[in-house]
């Protein structure tokens, strides 16, 4: 891995930095969640500026409104956006369903959805997990039965992030119960306003409403909303996308969290409200080294992509390390503030309650997007060549 930029990369980095300097939105990334939500309005301007450059979906081909950026260009852009602590604007529309439709969608599906995603007019949610199907996703039971020109869906999804604000859901359902479990699944696009769709909130332990249960009762979906071939949905749902997946944004974010906690630690120390024991100071040093390691793991993933290979167990190792590190950082922050970390009201809690909010929020990071145990299985079997248990 060459750590210094090549001349082309340096030119590109300067262009991205210049764009950020002249266009960055009013945005306080350290604001508590409720405040951050209220500030979404002013971000519309920032979104438009990104859209004008095709930078909402930089990995998408130009013909679909993206910027056709190379892996390295995306990496540099993600790194600079993360360093500048800029908010993401694309959501699942840009990162998941858009690229899937570009590869597998019909022309009508592309026409109907891609432009709306880029313009920020629609929000999408992902209906994969079910009460009995998470890590073993192919065990999903939501049924899809053909009826004339429609499909009729019955079943339940769970942990569906953003279903309460989503306009559309990309989801998997079992269309052939007699086929081997990976082969009888079809991929659907479901309008969340369809009769028979019910969204029930699940409040997480941080007392926030992010995910939901979604029930499908005789929901009719026109067959034009099937993506790819009937019964081949598994392979569409697991489409490996050739876009930058180094998690550099997460790695930079870890270091920035630490910088924030260190600044606050200094202030609390002055007022005698910080735990200044050697063990806490030792932990902060360890976290700093680990955040630097996380960054190097991201570099490893992107250098594999640049060599024309698809990162596999390396991406799992980076995900595992990053998410477990986010929990360790939150624990260290809680030790800094001590029992005051039990306060959750940002108006009175130290660090505007960021330590306690992060302590609760990061628990789910090692579950969402594939659990740590599943990542370890991948590292063990594909990385280390160990036999399956
Ligand atoms: C914050 C958050 C947001 C989410 N958003 C979405 C979403 O938008 N859409 C969606 O479809 N899903 C979403 N999910 C669901 C997520 O994908 C699943 O929670 C995850 O895949 C784990 O599945 P599960 O919860 O059913 O746990 P299970 O798969 O039942 O796992 C239970 C435990 O068993 C372990 N385990 C399971 N299999 C193995 C194995 N083979 N070897 C070793 N250990 C194993 C797991 O690691 C875990 O500790 C979200 C989850 C979270 C936490």
């Amino acid at each position: 891995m060459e750590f210094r930029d090549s001349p082309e990369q340096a030119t590109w980095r300067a262009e991205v930095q210049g764009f950020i300097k002249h266009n960055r939105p009013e945005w306080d990334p350290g604001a508590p969640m409720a405040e951050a939500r209220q500030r979404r309005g002013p971000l519309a301007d920032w979104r438009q500026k990104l859209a004008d450059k095709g930078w909402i979906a930089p990995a998408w081909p130009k013909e679909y409104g993206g910027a056709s950026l190379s892996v390295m260009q995306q990496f540099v852009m993600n790194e600079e956006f993360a360093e500048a602590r800029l908010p993401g604007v694309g959501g699942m529309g840009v990162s998941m369903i858009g690229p899937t439709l570009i590869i597998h969608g019909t022309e009508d599906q592309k026409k109907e959805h891609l432009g709306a995603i880029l313009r920020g007019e629609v929000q999408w949610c992902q209906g994969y997990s079910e009460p009995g199907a998470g890590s073993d996703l192919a065990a999903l039971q939501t049924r899809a039965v053909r009826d004339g020109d429609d499909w009729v869906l019955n079943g339940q999804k769970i942990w569906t992030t953003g279903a309460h604000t989503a306009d559309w859901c990309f989801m998997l359902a079992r269309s052939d119960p007699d086929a081997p479990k990976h082969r009888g699944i079809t991929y659907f696009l479901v309008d969340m306003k369809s009769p028979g769709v019910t969204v029930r909130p699940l409040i997480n332990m941080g007392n926030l409403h992010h995910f939901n249960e979604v029930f499908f009762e005789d929901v009719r979906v026109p067959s034009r909303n099937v993506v790819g071939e009937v019964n081949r949905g598994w392979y569409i749902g697991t489409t490996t996308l050739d876009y930058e997946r180094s998690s550099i944004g997460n790695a930079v974010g870890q270091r920035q969290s630490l910088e924030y906690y260190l600044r606050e630690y200094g202030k609390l120390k002055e007022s005698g409200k910080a735990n200044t024991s050697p063990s806490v100071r030792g932990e902060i040093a360890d976290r700093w080294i680990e955040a630097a390691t996380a960054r190097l793991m991201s570099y490893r993933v992107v250098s594999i992509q640049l060599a024309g290979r698809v990162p596999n167990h390396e991406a799992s190792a980076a995900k595992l390390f990053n998410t477990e590190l986010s929990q360790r950082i939150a624990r260290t922050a809680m030790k800094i503030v001590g029992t005051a970390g039990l306060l959750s009201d940002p108006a009175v809690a130290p660090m505007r309650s960021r330590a306690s909010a992060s302590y609760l929020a990061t628990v789910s990071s090692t579950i969402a997007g594939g659990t740590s145990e599943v990542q370890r299985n991948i590292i063990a079997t594909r990385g280390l060549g160990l036999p399956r248990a």
Side-chain angles (χ1 to χ4, degrees), residues 60-248:
W60 294 15
K62 280 194 176 135
E63 58 181 306
Y64 296 117
S68 298
L69 294 190
S70 68
V71 167
M72 179 43 91
Q73 285 174 316
Q74 289 175 61
F75 179 80
V76 169
M77 180 188 246
N78 289 342
E79 195 173 27
E80 291 302 324
F81 278 24
E83 287 291 355
R85 310 181 79 194
L86 292 166
V89 290
M92 288 185 201
V94 166
S95 63
M96 299 177 93
I97 183 62
T100 306
L101 289 180
I102 287 171
I103 297 170
H104 298 287
T106 62
E107 279 316 305
D108 283 347
Q109 288 168 348
K110 290 178 194 171
K111 244 186 237 144
E112 181 175 358
H113 297 294
L114 296 182
I117 290 171
L118 287 176
R119 291 189 297 275
E121 290 166 1
V122 287
Q123 285 190 41
W124 285 81
C125 63
Q126 177 192 31
Y128 282 17
S129 305
E130 298 184 3
S135 305
D136 183 14
L137 182 60
L140 61 89
Q141 293 299 325
T142 294
R143 282 285 280 126
V145 177
R146 184 84 197 225
D147 182 24
D149 207 26
D150 291 342
W151 287 82
V152 180
L153 301 184
N154 278 286
Q156 181 196 346
K157 299 291 174 180
I158 196 168
W159 317 122
T160 323
T161 303
H164 53 303
T165 52
D167 308 282
W168 284 86
C169 178
F170 54 96
M171 54 102 70
L172 297 172
R174 187 158 302 286
S175 41
D176 182 354
D178 300 323
K181 67 178 184 179
H182 292 86
R183 301 223 181 115
I185 292 173
T186 298
Y187 195 110
F188 293 94
L189 308 177
V190 180
D191 184 337
M192 291 295 279
K193 288 185 292 303
S194 310
V197 175
T198 307
V199 178
R200 287 206 202 131
L202 289 171
I203 304 301
N204 69 19
M205 67 179 175
N207 208 23
L208 296 169
H209 179 194
H210 287 164
F211 45 37
N212 307 271
E213 294 178 292
V214 183
F215 296 86
F216 297 85
E217 281 168 272
D218 293 330
V219 176
R220 297 192 83 84
V221 179
S223 55
R224 65 171 188 279
N225 287 1
V226 168
V227 181
E229 279 176 53
V230 169
N231 293 333
R232 301 282 297 168
W234 177 259
Y235 308 97
I236 293 163
T238 56
T239 299
T240 311
L241 302 162
D242 185 21
Y243 62 89
E244 201 271 294
R245 58 190 194 114
S246 68
S247 318
I248 184 65

